Amino acid sequence: MKIITWFGTLTLDDGGKVVEWDMFSKDTDALAERLIQPKEADMDIPPAGFDIRAAAIECGFVASDDEYDNLLRDVSIRAAKKQISSGTPDMGIIQAVEALDDIDETANTLSERLAEWYGMYFPEVGLSSEPLARFVAKYGSRSNVSPDDRLYEKATSSMGAELTGLDEELVKGFAENICTLYDSRSRLEEYLVKSMETTAPNLVNIAGALIGARLVSMAGGLEKLARFPSSTIQVIGANRALFKHLRARAPSPKHGIIFNHPQIKNSPWWQRGKIARALAAKISLAVRMDVYSGGGLNESIKTELDAKIESIKATHPKPPKRESKGGSGKGKGEYKNKNKMQNKKAGGRR
Amino acid sequence: MAAKEVSSGVFEITERGGKQLATKNLVHGMSVYGEKLIEIEGCEYRIWNPKRSKLAAMVIKKFNIPIKRDSKVLYLGAASGTSVSHVSDIVSDGIVYAVEFSQRTMRDLIGLCDERPNIVPILADANRPQSYAHIVEEVDVIFQDVAQPNQSEIAAVNAKQFLKKDGHLLLSIKARSIDTAANPKKVFKDEVRKLENDFDVGFEVLDSRELMPFHEDHLGVMARVRN
Ligand SMILES: C[S@@+](CC[C@H](N)C(=O)[O-])C[C@H]1O[C@@H](n2cnc3c(N)ncnc32)[C@H](O)[C@@H]1O
C-alpha cells in the first residue's frame, strides 16, 4: 500500500511496516503547497493507527520529535496562510456574476446586429439570439442549409438576397464570435453553480445557485448578505440596471431578483408577494447558516419553506374577490415591461 | 493570592476571596483575546472564563480532564482560538492540531499560531478526516466543539482515524444545533445513545454533564473507544 503524508510518500507492507519511502524536499514553502494539494491518484491516506511521526524520524526526514513539531507547525501555518490569501471564494462569485451580465449585454447587442444583418439574406429565418448565431455560424448562406434541417424549406424558398463571398465570410465570422460569447456564458454559469455549492450550500438549497449568486453579488459578498434583513433581501435587484439586459422572462422591475425563483414565478399573482416574503426569510436564515455556523447542509430550512409555501397555497387558493389595484396591475405591469424592452430594442436598431 | 492546580496545567486562582480558573501563560506577557494576566510567585497566569469556553466549563463541572502536559490533542472547531490558546498552555510539551473550516476565523487562528510554538492550524472540514490524515498523527485527546447537527458522527469518524486506543474524546454537544425544537434533554439522550451504538467505533461514555449555567443547553461528554 502506498500512502501519502505531509513529508513524503511511503510504501507499507501488509503488516503496516514502511518498506520504501520517497521524502519531499525539506523546503517549507514547497511542503506547504503539497499540504494543500496532497492529491495523488493511486495513493491512500495513512491507515488508522499508523504513526506518521515515527515514520518521519525512521526515514530520516527529521532528526527528532522537536524538529518534527517545529517543521510541521511552520509548514501548516504557511499552508493556512496560502489558503486564506487566495481570496475568499465569494470574490470569484461576484466577478463571475458581473462578467455574466457584461456578456449578456454584449451578446444581446451583437445578436441584434446579426438579426438585422442576416435578415437581408434570410428574412424568414425566425430565429434570434443564440439559436440564430448558432444557425448562421453553422451554415452561412441559406443555400448551405442541409435538407434535414427544419428550416430547409424556408431557406430554399426565401425571398432574401444571395449571401456569397466576402459577405458570407464576414457574417459567418461575426456569428461565430457571438457563439463564443454564449460558450463563455455557459462556462461562467457552471463555475457559479460549483462555487456556490461549496461556498453557500444552504443558500443554494433555498434560492438555487444562480439566484443565490446574484444575491451575493448585489449585496457585495456573502457576509454582507448575511447582515441584510429579510425585507431587504426581498427587494435586492429591483431597479437595477441589470434588468434591462434580461430578456422577457425578467420580473417586473419593482420586484427583487428572488421573483425569478420558480416557486414564485410559477405561482398565481396573488400568492407571489406572500411566497416572496417567506422565501426571503428563509434565504436570510440559510445565508446566516452558511456564514456563521458554517458546515453542512441543513435540510430543515428547506422543509420549513416547503411547508410554509404549501400553507400559503392552501389558504389562498383563489384570487382575492375585490379587484385590488396591485392585483390587476401586476399582469399589465409585466406586459408593459415587455413592451418597453421591445421598444428599446427597436430604438437601438434604427 | 494563591494558585491551586485543579487539573493538569489548569489552576484555580483565589484572589480577594473570588475564585477564577486560569492556565499558565506559555508566551509571557501576551494576552490572546483580552483576558486578564495575573502574576503569582513569578508565574504568569491567563484567566480562563468558563462562559467563553466549553472546556473551562467542563473543568469547573469536575470532569476528569485527560489533557496532560505532553498530550497530543486534536481540536475540532478551533474558531479563532480562544479555548485553543488555553489548551496550548496546558500541553506545553505537547501539540495541538487545530481544525477549523471557516476562512474568516482561520485568519485569527493563524495569528495565534504565529505567537505559539505548539499549535498546528488546519483549514479543513471535520467531516472529512481523510483530508487531514496526511498531517495529523494519533492523538491522546480529541476535543470537539463544532456545533453541527451531525456532531456525534464527526466525533466517530475522527476517533476512528486519529484516537489512540486508550485516548479520550471530549465533546460539547449543543442541543439547538441538532434540533431547534426538541427538548434538549431528549436530544442529549439520543446523542449519547448514538455515540454508544451507531458508529463502527463504539464509544464508552465515561461522564456527561450539562454545562449550565455557563452554556445553556450544552452537554459536556467524555468518552473513550470501547475495545
Ligand atoms: C462554537 S465554535 C467553537 C469555539 C471554540 N471551541 C472556543 O471555545 O474557542 C464552533 C466552530 O466550529 C467550526 N466548525 C463548524 N463545523 C465545522 C466543521 N465541519 N469542520 C471544522 N470546523 C467546523 C465553526 O466554524 C466555528 O468556528
Side-chain angles (χ1 to χ4, degrees), chain A residues 290-329:
Chain A
D290 287 327
V291 170
Y292 300 115
S293 45
L297 193 59
N298 186 337
E299 280 292 345
S300 68
I301 311 179
K302 179 92 166 90
T303 320
E304 282 165 28
L305 174 64
D306 291 343
K308 178 81 192 169
I309 292 178
E310 280 296 297
S311 99
I312 290 172
K313 291 194 177 285
T315 35
H316 305 276
K318 292 210 178 89
K321 285 250 168 56
R322 198 155 40 84
E323 264 296 273
S324 85
K325 244 194 188 167
S328 64

Short mmCIF file of all heavy atoms in Angstrom, two decimals, chain A residues 290-329:
data_model
loop_
_atom_site.label_atom_id
_atom_site.label_comp_id
_atom_site.label_asym_id
_atom_site.label_seq_id
_atom_site.Cartn_x
_atom_site.Cartn_y
_atom_site.Cartn_z
N ASP A 290 -24.82 29.59 6.42
CA ASP A 290 -23.59 29.40 5.64
C ASP A 290 -22.43 30.22 6.19
O ASP A 290 -21.30 29.77 6.21
CB ASP A 290 -23.83 29.78 4.17
CG ASP A 290 -24.68 28.75 3.45
OD1 ASP A 290 -24.56 27.56 3.79
OD2 ASP A 290 -25.45 29.13 2.55
N VAL A 291 -22.74 31.41 6.65
CA VAL A 291 -21.66 32.29 7.08
C VAL A 291 -21.23 32.00 8.51
O VAL A 291 -20.05 31.89 8.79
CB VAL A 291 -22.07 33.77 6.96
CG1 VAL A 291 -21.05 34.67 7.63
CG2 VAL A 291 -22.23 34.15 5.51
N TYR A 292 -22.18 31.86 9.40
CA TYR A 292 -21.81 31.81 10.82
C TYR A 292 -21.66 30.42 11.39
O TYR A 292 -20.79 30.18 12.20
CB TYR A 292 -22.80 32.62 11.65
CG TYR A 292 -22.84 34.05 11.23
CD1 TYR A 292 -23.99 34.61 10.69
CD2 TYR A 292 -21.70 34.84 11.34
CE1 TYR A 292 -24.01 35.93 10.26
CE2 TYR A 292 -21.70 36.16 10.93
CZ TYR A 292 -22.86 36.70 10.39
OH TYR A 292 -22.87 37.99 9.97
N SER A 293 -22.53 29.50 11.00
CA SER A 293 -22.32 28.19 11.62
C SER A 293 -21.58 27.29 10.67
O SER A 293 -21.24 26.17 11.02
CB SER A 293 -23.63 27.58 12.07
OG SER A 293 -24.59 27.72 11.09
N GLY A 294 -21.33 27.80 9.50
CA GLY A 294 -20.52 27.06 8.55
C GLY A 294 -20.97 25.63 8.44
O GLY A 294 -21.85 25.20 9.13
N GLY A 295 -20.31 24.91 7.57
CA GLY A 295 -20.56 23.49 7.58
C GLY A 295 -21.63 23.05 6.65
O GLY A 295 -21.92 23.71 5.66
N GLY A 296 -22.21 21.96 6.97
CA GLY A 296 -23.03 21.24 6.01
C GLY A 296 -24.38 21.85 5.75
O GLY A 296 -24.70 22.95 6.20
N LEU A 297 -25.12 21.08 5.02
CA LEU A 297 -26.43 21.48 4.60
C LEU A 297 -27.41 21.20 5.72
O LEU A 297 -27.37 20.16 6.35
CB LEU A 297 -26.76 20.62 3.37
CG LEU A 297 -27.94 21.02 2.54
CD1 LEU A 297 -27.75 22.42 2.01
CD2 LEU A 297 -28.07 20.05 1.39
N ASN A 298 -28.28 22.16 5.96
CA ASN A 298 -29.32 21.93 6.94
C ASN A 298 -30.66 21.85 6.21
O ASN A 298 -31.24 22.86 5.86
CB ASN A 298 -29.32 23.07 7.96
CG ASN A 298 -30.28 22.81 9.09
OD1 ASN A 298 -31.23 22.04 8.94
ND2 ASN A 298 -30.04 23.44 10.22
N GLU A 299 -31.11 20.63 6.01
CA GLU A 299 -32.31 20.41 5.20
C GLU A 299 -33.56 21.00 5.84
O GLU A 299 -34.56 21.24 5.17
CB GLU A 299 -32.52 18.92 4.94
CG GLU A 299 -31.66 18.34 3.83
CD GLU A 299 -32.05 18.88 2.44
OE1 GLU A 299 -33.15 19.47 2.30
OE2 GLU A 299 -31.23 18.72 1.51
N SER A 300 -33.50 21.26 7.14
CA SER A 300 -34.73 21.67 7.81
C SER A 300 -35.25 23.01 7.29
O SER A 300 -36.45 23.25 7.27
CB SER A 300 -34.53 21.71 9.32
OG SER A 300 -33.65 22.76 9.64
N ILE A 301 -34.35 23.88 6.83
CA ILE A 301 -34.81 25.18 6.32
C ILE A 301 -35.69 24.97 5.11
O ILE A 301 -36.74 25.58 4.95
CB ILE A 301 -33.62 26.08 5.91
CG1 ILE A 301 -32.58 26.14 7.01
CG2 ILE A 301 -34.10 27.48 5.57
CD1 ILE A 301 -31.37 26.99 6.65
N LYS A 302 -35.24 24.06 4.24
CA LYS A 302 -35.99 23.79 3.02
C LYS A 302 -37.34 23.15 3.35
O LYS A 302 -38.37 23.51 2.78
CB LYS A 302 -35.15 22.86 2.13
CG LYS A 302 -35.81 22.46 0.84
CD LYS A 302 -35.43 23.42 -0.27
CE LYS A 302 -35.78 22.86 -1.64
NZ LYS A 302 -37.13 23.22 -2.07
N THR A 303 -37.31 22.22 4.29
CA THR A 303 -38.55 21.56 4.69
C THR A 303 -39.55 22.58 5.22
O THR A 303 -40.73 22.57 4.87
CB THR A 303 -38.26 20.53 5.80
OG1 THR A 303 -37.04 19.86 5.48
CG2 THR A 303 -39.39 19.53 5.93
N GLU A 304 -39.05 23.49 6.05
CA GLU A 304 -39.93 24.52 6.61
C GLU A 304 -40.47 25.43 5.52
O GLU A 304 -41.65 25.79 5.53
CB GLU A 304 -39.15 25.37 7.63
CG GLU A 304 -38.96 24.70 8.97
CD GLU A 304 -37.89 25.40 9.81
OE1 GLU A 304 -37.69 26.63 9.63
OE2 GLU A 304 -37.25 24.71 10.62
N LEU A 305 -39.61 25.78 4.57
CA LEU A 305 -40.05 26.66 3.48
C LEU A 305 -41.15 25.98 2.68
O LEU A 305 -42.19 26.58 2.38
CB LEU A 305 -38.88 27.02 2.57
CG LEU A 305 -39.26 27.83 1.31
CD1 LEU A 305 -39.82 29.19 1.69
CD2 LEU A 305 -38.07 28.01 0.38
N ASP A 306 -40.92 24.72 2.32
CA ASP A 306 -41.92 23.99 1.54
C ASP A 306 -43.26 23.93 2.27
O ASP A 306 -44.32 24.13 1.68
CB ASP A 306 -41.42 22.58 1.20
CG ASP A 306 -40.26 22.62 0.21
OD1 ASP A 306 -40.09 23.69 -0.44
OD2 ASP A 306 -39.55 21.61 0.07
N ALA A 307 -43.18 23.71 3.58
CA ALA A 307 -44.40 23.64 4.37
C ALA A 307 -45.11 24.99 4.35
O ALA A 307 -46.33 25.08 4.19
CB ALA A 307 -44.07 23.23 5.80
N LYS A 308 -44.33 26.04 4.49
CA LYS A 308 -44.89 27.40 4.51
C LYS A 308 -45.57 27.71 3.16
O LYS A 308 -46.68 28.25 3.13
CB LYS A 308 -43.75 28.39 4.79
CG LYS A 308 -44.15 29.84 4.81
CD LYS A 308 -44.76 30.22 6.13
CE LYS A 308 -45.43 31.60 5.99
NZ LYS A 308 -46.26 31.96 7.11
N ILE A 309 -44.91 27.36 2.08
CA ILE A 309 -45.48 27.63 0.77
C ILE A 309 -46.76 26.81 0.57
O ILE A 309 -47.77 27.33 0.08
CB ILE A 309 -44.45 27.34 -0.35
CG1 ILE A 309 -43.31 28.36 -0.26
CG2 ILE A 309 -45.11 27.41 -1.73
CD1 ILE A 309 -42.20 28.17 -1.27
N GLU A 310 -46.71 25.57 1.00
CA GLU A 310 -47.92 24.74 0.96
C GLU A 310 -49.07 25.45 1.64
O GLU A 310 -50.19 25.54 1.12
CB GLU A 310 -47.67 23.42 1.71
CG GLU A 310 -46.93 22.38 0.91
CD GLU A 310 -47.73 21.93 -0.30
OE1 GLU A 310 -48.83 21.36 -0.08
OE2 GLU A 310 -47.28 22.17 -1.43
N SER A 311 -48.79 25.98 2.82
CA SER A 311 -49.88 26.57 3.60
C SER A 311 -50.36 27.87 2.96
O SER A 311 -51.55 28.18 3.00
CB SER A 311 -49.48 26.73 5.06
OG SER A 311 -49.07 28.05 5.34
N ILE A 312 -49.45 28.62 2.34
CA ILE A 312 -49.88 29.83 1.63
C ILE A 312 -50.81 29.44 0.49
O ILE A 312 -51.88 30.02 0.30
CB ILE A 312 -48.66 30.61 1.07
CG1 ILE A 312 -47.86 31.25 2.21
CG2 ILE A 312 -49.13 31.69 0.08
CD1 ILE A 312 -46.55 31.87 1.79
N LYS A 313 -50.43 28.41 -0.23
CA LYS A 313 -51.24 27.97 -1.37
C LYS A 313 -52.60 27.45 -0.91
O LYS A 313 -53.61 27.64 -1.56
CB LYS A 313 -50.50 26.91 -2.18
CG LYS A 313 -49.28 27.48 -2.90
CD LYS A 313 -48.76 26.53 -3.95
CE LYS A 313 -47.59 27.10 -4.73
NZ LYS A 313 -47.94 28.10 -5.72
N ALA A 314 -52.58 26.79 0.25
CA ALA A 314 -53.82 26.22 0.76
C ALA A 314 -54.77 27.30 1.27
O ALA A 314 -55.98 27.23 1.08
CB ALA A 314 -53.52 25.23 1.88
N THR A 315 -54.22 28.34 1.90
CA THR A 315 -55.10 29.37 2.46
C THR A 315 -55.50 30.42 1.43
O THR A 315 -56.44 31.15 1.65
CB THR A 315 -54.44 30.09 3.67
OG1 THR A 315 -53.04 30.20 3.43
CG2 THR A 315 -54.68 29.34 4.96
N HIS A 316 -54.79 30.50 0.33
CA HIS A 316 -55.16 31.47 -0.70
C HIS A 316 -55.30 30.81 -2.07
O HIS A 316 -54.56 31.12 -2.99
CB HIS A 316 -54.12 32.59 -0.79
CG HIS A 316 -53.87 33.28 0.51
ND1 HIS A 316 -54.66 34.29 0.98
CD2 HIS A 316 -52.93 33.07 1.46
CE1 HIS A 316 -54.21 34.69 2.16
NE2 HIS A 316 -53.16 33.96 2.47
N PRO A 317 -56.24 29.90 -2.19
CA PRO A 317 -56.35 29.16 -3.46
C PRO A 317 -56.91 30.04 -4.56
O PRO A 317 -56.69 29.77 -5.74
CB PRO A 317 -57.30 28.03 -3.12
CG PRO A 317 -58.11 28.53 -1.97
CD PRO A 317 -57.26 29.49 -1.21
N LYS A 318 -57.67 31.08 -4.21
CA LYS A 318 -58.34 31.89 -5.23
C LYS A 318 -57.88 33.33 -5.16
O LYS A 318 -57.48 33.81 -4.10
CB LYS A 318 -59.86 31.84 -4.98
CG LYS A 318 -60.44 30.48 -5.24
CD LYS A 318 -61.89 30.63 -5.71
CE LYS A 318 -62.51 29.29 -6.03
NZ LYS A 318 -63.15 28.67 -4.85
N PRO A 319 -57.98 34.05 -6.25
CA PRO A 319 -57.62 35.46 -6.20
C PRO A 319 -58.57 36.19 -5.26
O PRO A 319 -59.72 35.79 -5.13
CB PRO A 319 -57.80 35.95 -7.64
CG PRO A 319 -58.58 34.89 -8.32
CD PRO A 319 -58.36 33.61 -7.59
N PRO A 320 -58.09 37.23 -4.61
CA PRO A 320 -58.98 37.99 -3.73
C PRO A 320 -60.17 38.52 -4.52
O PRO A 320 -60.03 38.89 -5.68
CB PRO A 320 -58.08 39.12 -3.23
CG PRO A 320 -56.82 39.06 -4.02
CD PRO A 320 -56.73 37.73 -4.64
N LYS A 321 -61.35 38.59 -3.87
CA LYS A 321 -62.59 38.98 -4.55
C LYS A 321 -62.51 40.39 -5.09
O LYS A 321 -62.65 40.64 -6.28
CB LYS A 321 -63.76 38.90 -3.55
CG LYS A 321 -64.17 37.47 -3.31
CD LYS A 321 -65.55 37.17 -3.93
CE LYS A 321 -65.82 35.68 -3.92
NZ LYS A 321 -65.74 35.07 -2.58
N ARG A 322 -62.28 41.33 -4.15
CA ARG A 322 -62.28 42.72 -4.55
C ARG A 322 -61.11 42.94 -5.52
O ARG A 322 -59.99 42.56 -5.25
CB ARG A 322 -62.13 43.60 -3.31
CG ARG A 322 -62.53 45.04 -3.52
CD ARG A 322 -62.94 45.66 -2.17
NE ARG A 322 -62.05 45.21 -1.10
CZ ARG A 322 -60.87 45.79 -0.83
NH1 ARG A 322 -60.47 46.84 -1.51
NH2 ARG A 322 -60.11 45.34 0.15
N GLU A 323 -61.40 43.53 -6.66
CA GLU A 323 -60.32 43.82 -7.62
C GLU A 323 -59.33 44.75 -6.98
O GLU A 323 -59.54 45.97 -6.92
CB GLU A 323 -60.91 44.49 -8.87
CG GLU A 323 -61.20 43.54 -10.01
CD GLU A 323 -59.96 42.86 -10.56
OE1 GLU A 323 -59.32 43.44 -11.44
OE2 GLU A 323 -59.61 41.75 -10.09
N SER A 324 -58.28 44.20 -6.45
CA SER A 324 -57.31 45.09 -5.83
C SER A 324 -56.44 45.69 -6.92
O SER A 324 -56.14 45.04 -7.92
CB SER A 324 -56.47 44.31 -4.82
OG SER A 324 -55.40 43.68 -5.47
N LYS A 325 -56.05 46.91 -6.70
CA LYS A 325 -55.24 47.62 -7.69
C LYS A 325 -53.95 46.87 -8.03
O LYS A 325 -53.62 46.63 -9.16
CB LYS A 325 -54.86 48.99 -7.12
CG LYS A 325 -55.44 50.14 -7.90
CD LYS A 325 -54.71 51.37 -7.45
CE LYS A 325 -55.30 52.64 -7.99
NZ LYS A 325 -54.71 53.77 -7.25
N GLY A 326 -53.27 46.49 -6.90
CA GLY A 326 -51.99 45.79 -7.09
C GLY A 326 -52.18 44.55 -7.94
O GLY A 326 -51.38 44.27 -8.81
N GLY A 327 -53.31 43.86 -7.70
CA GLY A 327 -53.54 42.61 -8.40
C GLY A 327 -53.65 42.77 -9.89
O GLY A 327 -52.80 42.28 -10.63
N SER A 328 -54.65 43.53 -10.34
CA SER A 328 -54.85 43.61 -11.78
C SER A 328 -53.68 44.34 -12.44
O SER A 328 -53.37 44.11 -13.58
CB SER A 328 -56.16 44.33 -12.08
OG SER A 328 -56.07 45.66 -11.61
N GLY A 329 -53.08 45.22 -11.67
CA GLY A 329 -51.95 45.97 -12.22
C GLY A 329 -50.77 45.06 -12.55
O GLY A 329 -49.99 45.35 -13.42
#
